[in-house]
Each structure stands twice: as structure tokens, then as C-alpha cells.
Amino acid sequence: MNKLRRDALKYLQLPLLCAPFGFAGAVAAAARAGFAQPVKLALVESLSGPFANTGEAVFRNLLWATERVNARGGVRLADGLHELVIERYDSKGQNEEALSALRSAIDNGARIIMQGNSSATAAALLDAIDKHNSRDPSRRVLYLNYSAVDPALTNERCSFWHFRFDAHADMRMAALMEVIRDDKAVHSAYLIGQDYSFGQAVLREARRQLAVQRPDVRIVGDELHPVGRVKDFAPYAVKIKQSGAQAVITGNWGNDLMLLVKAAREAGYEGRFYTFYGNALGAPAALGDAGVGKVLAVADWLPNVPTAESRAFYQTFRQRFPRPQDDYVHMRMQLMIEALAQSLEKAGSTDTVAVAHAMEHARVQMAGRSGSMRAADHQFQQSLVVGMMEKQGSAGVDFDVEGSGYGFKVVREIAAARAEMPGQCQMKRF
């Protein structure tokens, strides 16, 4: 290792790089470590309000990922080594605030925009970025999406500037349906979701796939609720229990999921929850023993994936963020930053078009997991897993969630080739 990389590594071992003193401090520190001008990554996310916990969870994941890249010397471009620095922009859970944050990020020199915790916000950002990149080609930006899973974003609304690293809602639903198909105890299902593009897409696909995979299952409830505004889910829980459904299917996330499952427990509902996000952010603790053997979640990875590589990956994250409330690691976010680093180095610069062309062919792996970008629609392809909530210490559950005493046992793994779905993208290329 040359002196530059040794000095950089020594500096980058400091905790929470750049977060305490902002971008100006990061530039000065980077210069001392021998780096060229940092590459700015703008995180536009809910960092206050009802979904602040989800935004902070994202930040921890992306921070850890950039620290790892920086610790090995950053990214090598034609003019030398550059570190990756995250700048935080609070969307406050509002589309207009997100658009204002986007404008500020661009004015501050960011050319990589990262967002994911709302498909409605994602759609607004995507429209704005398409328009901006057309009007101002000297300041074009790329949009990296780690969680907004409305299928339209890589289908009829696909864009050359947008790359999605999460499996979209239809892919996630298909993975859940592989388990529901074999769950003969389910004869009726209650569908509930958040009333916006993503929640609507989840319920639409649930209806479609139930008709194909389990036509014998009756849908006894099908409703949408406002996003982030329901404080008391008891009326919904009562309807779910009275419906007699053996299963609830929901794409709810954040507090909308935690409050829903908590209300269901208090109402005495004993059926299963088939969820997109039931594995974290308060849901397991809210359910307690009532969720054991009854709550399932689909993800790109879970801490109890039964391999030594996965175990080491998770333990390293927990060493970095030891507080139980900080326990929410996403493999796809780590792979996203690795794909970005790979693409920057392949492009040899931060030129937006060159980086986009490189990212179309990104292939990355970590801790035994891997993925590749599909150039046709910019939808990342990766394996998925479905987990069942169980008590920590039971077979297959070495790790719990957020110190709750409950974790998720992997009950189904879906290979990337099987999780893949055909696209409908007609992309304008640059």
C-alpha cells in the first residue's frame, strides 16, 4: 500500500467521517489525506417527521458503505483518488421539500442524487431530473434509487438517469407468493396498504398474483389508508379480525407498518402478516410473541442468511453501529455504493453520461451476495429471501432485530434468475 493510501486509511478510520463538520471540513481533511476534490453524494430523504427513522436508517447504511470505499483509498479517477462524501437534505416527507432539496443539491455541486423512501417522491424527483438534465446538460445528475419500488419507475416511466437497486413491488410480491402458494392454512386474505402509487401497486399485484397462484383464496378486505397520517390503526385492526382472514398482505413501511401490526396484536388478530418490510423498524417488538411463526417479510438479504460471509457482514455492521435502535442494515444499499464506485472508476471521471453508461453494466458482489444492473431498464437484478419471524436462539435465528429478541429465519430463497421479471421500458438514451 503506498503512502497516500496509508494516510487515507488512517484518516478514514475515524468515526462518522464528515458528518460532524460538513462538506468544507471534509474537503480540508481529504486534502490532508491526499485526496483530490471529494465526489458529492446528495441524500434526499425524510430526516424529520413521522418517517425520520427510515431516513436515518438509510443514512447509516450509506455512510457505512462510503466509509468502506474511502478506507480502501476512495475511487481512482483520471486526476487521482477521490473520497465519497454524503450531504444530507431533509425532504420532511413532502414532495415539494424534496424538489427544493434537489435544487439545492445541484446548486451545491452534487451530481449523484440518492433517494428511495417513497415512490411518490421518487416519481416527482425523476420528472424534475429529466427536465433539469434536458435544460442544463452541463450539470446533469444521476438518480440512484434504493427503495422506491413502484414498478412503473423502471417500466413505463423508465429514464436513462435513474437506476433502481431494490427489487420492485411486483418482484417482491412474486417472492411472497411462492410462500403463500404453499401455505395451505390460508383460505382468505385481507389486503391493506398506503394510499399512493406504491401502496396501490402492491395491492393491485396481490390481487393479480393471488388469482394466478392461489385462486382458492378469497379476498375478504381490500383497502387503502392515508400515508403517515393515521395515528390509531385500531379500527383497521378490528375490521381485519372480523373479516376472518388467515393472512394480511401489506406493503406498509415505517410507522404505518409498526402501528398496524401493533393494533392487530392488541385486537387479538391471530393470522399471518405477509409483508414487504415486517423485519425491522419496530414491527417485531410491537408484535412480540404474537408474531412468532406468523409474520413474514421479503428482502434482498436478511441477517440470518445461513452463511459465514453473511454472518461476518452483519457483525461488522453491528460493531460500527452497536445501538439496538440502529440495527437495520440493507445489503442492496451496500451493493449500490459498490456499483457507483465501480462505475466512477470505469468512467474515469464524474461525467454523468459516462458514469451512467458504466453503471448499465455494473456487476457487484459482497458477503456472498451479488447483483447486476439490467441495461434495458436500469432495474438491478439480485436474489431475494423470505423470512419468518421467530424467537432469537431458535433454529436458524442467531440474530434478532433491534434488540427485540425476535429475528427472521430464512424460509425461502429466490435466485436472481427466478426473481427477474420482463420489463416494458422504452428508454431514450444519451
Side-chain angles (χ1 to χ4, degrees):
M1 182 183 295
N2 61 33
K3 183 178 185 302
L4 173 60
R5 285 180 178 266
R6 286 198 303 271
D7 291 345
L9 179 59
K10 182 184 297 185
Y11 170 69
L12 290 165
Q13 287 173 339
L14 294 175
L16 285 174
L17 172 65
C18 305
F21 48 89
F23 184 74
V27 171
R32 291 194 299 272
F35 286 110
Q37 187 78 359
V39 177
K40 296 182 181 182
L41 314 181
L43 174 63
V44 177
E45 201 52 85
S46 295
L47 300 172
S48 62
F51 294 117
N53 57 344
T54 66
E56 292 295 345
V58 168
F59 174 65
R60 288 190 296 274
N61 274 267
L62 298 180
L63 177 66
W64 189 50
T66 57
E67 286 176 339
R68 183 179 58 252
V69 172
N70 292 338
R72 64 180 187 242
V75 293
R76 181 176 292 279
L77 307 183
D79 60 350
L81 294 173
H82 298 250
E83 66 171 353
L84 305 179
V85 174
I86 299 173
E87 294 185 321
R88 293 159 51 104
Y89 295 85
D90 185 8
S91 70
K92 304 175 185 177
Q94 303 296 321
N95 289 354
E96 285 304 316
E97 292 284 352
L99 293 173
S100 177
L102 171 65
R103 291 189 291 270
S104 295
I106 294 172
D107 289 342
N108 290 336
R111 298 296 174 262
I112 306 295
I113 308 299
M114 305 181 296
Q115 183 272 340
N117 287 349
S118 168
S119 288
T121 300
L125 287 176
L126 186 54
D127 285 345
I129 288 170
D130 279 342
K131 292 173 183 175
H132 164 80
N133 286 358
S134 176
R135 292 193 305 259
D136 193 351
S138 67
R139 298 197 302 165
R140 287 168 169 159
V141 298
L142 287 186
Y143 173 22
L144 307 187
N145 167 8
Y146 44 76
S147 292
V149 297
D150 183 348
L153 296 173
T154 48
N155 283 296
E156 58 266 30
R157 301 190 66 172
C158 66
S159 167
F160 180 74
W161 313 112
H162 168 254
F163 293 84
R164 173 158 51 200
F165 286 84
D166 198 354
H168 64 60
D170 293 357
M171 298 166 73
R172 283 175 168 262
M173 184 60 70
L176 282 178
M177 284 295 165
E178 289 207 7
V179 181
I180 293 176
R181 184 185 60 209
D182 299 332
D183 189 350
K184 301 308 179 185
V186 174
H187 306 292
S188 59
Y190 199 105
L191 314 184
I192 184 169
Q194 296 155 314
D195 192 6
Y196 74 113
S197 58
F198 161 66
Q200 295 160 12
V202 170
L203 298 200
R204 181 172 61 248
E205 188 65 9
R207 290 189 292 269
R208 189 189 73 80
Q209 291 200 32
L210 278 173
V212 174
Q213 301 276 8
R214 287 293 305 274
D216 59 307
V217 171
R218 293 184 301 113
I219 297 175
V220 294
D222 187 343
E223 65 179 313
L224 296 163
H225 62 79
V227 182
R229 297 205 300 271
V230 178
K231 304 303 181 185
D232 181 9
F233 275 87
Y236 296 96
V238 169
K239 286 190 285 184
I240 290 170
K241 182 180 179 182
Q242 291 177 343
S243 75
Q246 289 84 35
V248 173
I249 300 175
T250 182
N252 276 21
W253 54 276
N255 282 344
D256 282 349
L257 176 63
M258 183 179 69
L259 294 174
L260 172 64
V261 296
K262 183 178 180 181
R265 182 192 69 176
E266 293 172 350
Y269 177 67
E270 297 183 353
R272 285 186 169 176
F273 273 84
Y274 282 86
T275 76
F276 280 25
Y277 305 110
N279 54 308
L281 294 178
L287 273 172
D289 285 348
V292 172
K294 294 179 181 178
V295 174
L296 295 100
V298 58
D300 49 281
W301 169 88
L302 290 168
N304 291 302
V305 166
T307 68
E309 292 172 301
S310 177
R311 172 186 290 270
F313 167 81
Y314 178 67
Q315 289 175 325
T316 302
F317 178 83
R318 293 308 314 278
Q319 289 168 6
R320 177 64 182 84
F321 297 104
R323 298 191 311 167
Q325 61 266 39
D326 292 344
D327 173 24
Y328 197 29
V329 57
H330 301 273
M331 178 66 72
R332 66 182 182 273
M333 295 182 190
Q334 308 307 312
L335 294 176
M336 183 183 83
I337 295 299
E338 291 297 325
L340 173 61
Q342 180 187 108
S343 300
L344 285 165
E345 293 197 333
K346 186 175 180 180
S349 74
T350 57
D351 177 76
T352 307
V353 175
V355 176
H357 280 295
M359 191 169 288
E360 286 193 314
H361 304 287
R363 302 181 69 88
V364 289
Q365 59 182 1
M366 174 180 293
R369 313 298 287 185
S370 62
S372 61
M373 184 59 64
R374 188 165 68 182
D377 57 1
H378 296 183
Q379 171 64 58
F380 196 61
Q381 304 298 320
Q382 61 195 314
S383 59
L384 300 175
V385 295
V386 178
M388 174 77 78
M389 182 173 157
E390 301 286 356
K391 287 187 177 181
Q392 182 183 20
S394 61
V397 187
D398 291 339
F399 302 116
D400 69 348
V401 174
E402 298 175 304
S404 65
Y406 305 95
F408 281 76
K409 177 181 179 179
V410 175
V411 297
R412 188 69 57 93
E413 177 138 7
I414 299 94
R418 185 174 177 84
E420 185 174 5
M421 284 188 163
Q424 305 166 17
C425 173
Q426 301 293 323
M427 185 182 294
K428 178 183 178 183
R429 299 187 172 276
F430 292 83

